[in-house]
Amino acid sequence: MSEYLLEMKGVCKEFPGVKALDNVSLRLRPGTVHALMGENGAGKSTLMKVLAGVYPRDAGVIEICGQPVEIHDARQAQALGISMIHQELSLMRDLTVAENLFIGREPMRGPFLDRRRQNEMAAALLHSVHIDIDPTARVGALTVARQQMVEIARALSYDNTRILIMDEPSAALTDAEIGELFRLIRTMKARGVGVLYISHRMGELQQISDRITVMRDGQCVGTVRTADASLEEIIRMMVGRVIYE
């Protein structure tokens, strides 16, 4: 049994005229937060979208728990326990929280939707991750932070979820809301979920991440333990040179 929940080895991805990923490798252990940092265009989101089945890879190997897997679309990724929360939230604003949580998996009573059962299932799910949101509330009436928590709860509603990708999750949140986000991430860590966390904010990563991988120009520059990393070292890795004041 591999000690790694996820290994991406030699992953390459090209778009017309652009080599977005050039022989990138990444490892994720269960129950850890692994951050991805890099300037815009470094390849962070592209790598995660390859893992989530948004883009097909051109070369390389992806292994889950030591076993090679093929990921051609988001449905295959979900079947393997991989969920991605994009910067642009994908919730349906005119539906309720419960309807969003179980869309496509609605409990039925004969030919009819069992709305009461759906609300009960949603309430139980939200309670299990300590999210205090009314399952009957319309998603469009929630703050961005609350919508994001619904997205996370939906990812965790799948029994097999073991890898959660978060792309700049704190970008639109207040400090208090970021605190709630981090509490939820720690809950996921305790369950053994591996979190891949894209961010530009070193201060946040020092609070929540265990390791940081820095990318530049579609390549992996290196991986460091967050506890051992300095801001100066991370910046040097990101830009390829020492920055003097």
Side-chain angles (χ1 to χ4, degrees), residues 2 42 57 63 66 76 81 85 93 148 161 166 189 195 215:
S2 172
R57 67 186 185 277
E63 295 182 358
Q76 283 186 317
I85 298 174
R93 295 175 56 84
Q148 193 170 69
T161 296
M166 308 182 80
K189 283 182 62 174
V195 179
M215 296 186 67

Side-chain angles (χ1 to χ4, degrees), residues 4 8-9 18 33 84 88 95 112 116-117 138 164 181 188 210 215:
Y4 297 106
M8 303 180 78
K9 304 175 181 178
V18 178
V33 176
M84 182 170 184
E88 302 79 20
L95 299 184
F112 302 106
R116 179 177 176 180
R117 175 62 181 150
R138 188 176 65 85
L164 183 62
L181 174 66
M188 291 186 285
D210 300 288
M215 296 186 67

Side-chain angles (χ1 to χ4, degrees), residues 40-76:
N40 290 337
K44 310 178 299 297
S45 292
T46 300
L47 182 66
M48 293 299 94
K49 287 178 179 178
V50 167
L51 178 60
V54 178
Y55 300 143
R57 67 186 185 277
D58 297 329
V61 175
I62 299 175
E63 295 182 358
I64 304 291
C65 297
Q67 299 300 312
V69 298
E70 292 298 326
I71 304 174
H72 298 295
D73 55 38
R75 187 178 295 273
Q76 283 186 317

Side-chain angles (χ1 to χ4, degrees), residues 145-198:
R146 295 251 147 179
Q147 290 182 35
Q148 193 170 69
M149 290 181 181
V150 174
E151 285 263 29
I152 294 171
R154 183 168 66 179
L156 294 177
S157 72
Y158 294 89
D159 293 336
N160 68 334
T161 296
R162 46 188 172 176
I163 298 172
L164 183 62
I165 305 164
M166 308 182 80
D167 191 352
E168 298 282 2
S170 65
L173 306 187
T174 66
D175 289 344
E177 290 167 340
I178 290 171
E180 279 297 295
L181 174 66
F182 286 0
R183 179 194 61 75
L184 194 50
I185 290 173
R186 292 186 181 104
T187 297
M188 291 186 285
K189 283 182 62 174
R191 293 183 174 193
V193 175
V195 179
L196 290 160
Y197 189 106
I198 299 175

Side-chain angles (χ1 to χ4, degrees), residues 28-46:
L28 173 68
R29 289 181 170 88
T32 63
V33 176
H34 195 124
L36 288 177
M37 294 193 74
E39 296 186 289
N40 290 337
K44 310 178 299 297
S45 292
T46 300

Side-chain angles (χ1 to χ4, degrees), residues 83-243:
S83 294
M84 182 170 184
I85 298 174
H86 299 266
Q87 282 184 276
E88 302 79 20
L89 299 180
S90 61
L91 299 173
M92 297 189 182
R93 295 175 56 84
D94 291 332
L95 299 184
T96 68
V97 170
E99 288 167 340
N100 271 278
L101 288 174
F102 296 104
I103 194 162
R105 302 174 292 152
E106 297 87 348
M108 305 298 290
R109 180 181 294 170
F112 302 106
L113 168 65
D114 189 341
R115 195 173 299 278
R116 179 177 176 180
R117 175 62 181 150
Q118 180 174 259
N119 289 336
E120 290 173 347
M121 290 166 57
L125 172 63
L126 293 167
H127 178 75
S128 73
V129 288
H130 310 290
I131 297 176
D132 184 18
I133 297 177
D134 181 356
T136 66
R138 188 176 65 85
V139 160
L142 302 177
T143 65
V144 171
R146 295 251 147 179
Q147 290 182 35
Q148 193 170 69
M149 290 181 181
V150 174
E151 285 263 29
I152 294 171
R154 183 168 66 179
L156 294 177
S157 72
Y158 294 89
D159 293 336
N160 68 334
T161 296
R162 46 188 172 176
I163 298 172
L164 183 62
I165 305 164
M166 308 182 80
D167 191 352
E168 298 282 2
S170 65
L173 306 187
T174 66
D175 289 344
E177 290 167 340
I178 290 171
E180 279 297 295
L181 174 66
F182 286 0
R183 179 194 61 75
L184 194 50
I185 290 173
R186 292 186 181 104
T187 297
M188 291 186 285
K189 283 182 62 174
R191 293 183 174 193
V193 175
V195 179
L196 290 160
Y197 189 106
I198 299 175
S199 179
H200 290 92
R201 300 178 177 182
M202 184 65 184
E204 286 182 12
L205 299 185
Q206 288 174 325
Q207 296 180 57
I208 198 63
S209 71
D210 300 288
R211 286 177 173 77
I212 299 172
T213 289
V214 177
M215 296 186 67
R216 185 174 73 243
D217 299 330
Q219 296 181 323
C220 177
V221 178
T223 299
V224 295
R225 290 181 65 247
T226 305
D228 299 334
S230 67
L231 178 59
E232 292 76 15
E233 179 185 9
I234 295 298
I235 292 174
R236 178 185 57 77
M237 293 169 71
M238 287 173 60
V239 302
R241 63 186 187 279
V242 177
I243 301 296

